[in-house]
Amino acid sequence: MTRVIARRVASVLVIALLGLGSPLLACSRDEKSGAEKLSDKAKDALDMREHEGLKDAAEDAKDAVKDAGTAVKEEAESLKEKAK
């Protein structure tokens, strides 16, 4: 009898923990608040961010890839026009 009650209590506890824990797991801390974004922009402008050199290099690489993609697209359109 006590085993049956213990199993039921354990089942209820598991369901309760999942019900209470799911919203906490769904919340993502990846999103920055407005104040954090503003602070990051100010630190970026003043070159005071952590790992500033690495972040600047990543931003430059992102811009270079974007520019290369634009150049490839323009060249493809140019070749397409010449083929007509």
Side-chain angles (χ1 to χ4, degrees):
M1 178 88 160
T2 57
R3 287 185 182 176
V4 173
I5 293 172
R7 286 184 191 168
R8 288 184 182 168
V9 170
S11 297
V12 170
L13 286 175
V14 168
I15 291 170
L17 288 175
L18 288 175
L20 294 173
S22 296
L24 294 175
L25 294 175
C27 293
S28 174
R29 182 61 184 121
D30 295 337
E31 300 171 8
K32 291 184 177 181
S33 69
E36 289 173 327
K37 290 178 184 177
L38 182 61
S39 174
D40 193 44
K41 288 184 184 279
K43 287 180 180 180
D44 183 27
L46 299 172
D47 291 332
M48 295 173 51
R49 294 184 299 177
E50 293 179 24
H51 312 292
E52 181 67 32
L54 182 61
K55 289 183 178 184
D56 284 343
E59 290 169 354
D60 292 343
K62 181 180 89 171
D63 292 340
V65 169
K66 185 177 178 182
D67 293 343
T70 302
V72 168
K73 183 178 178 182
E74 289 173 356
E75 186 64 26
E77 289 174 2
S78 173
L79 290 174
K80 184 178 173 182
E81 290 297 319
K82 287 181 182 178
K84 287 185 178 181

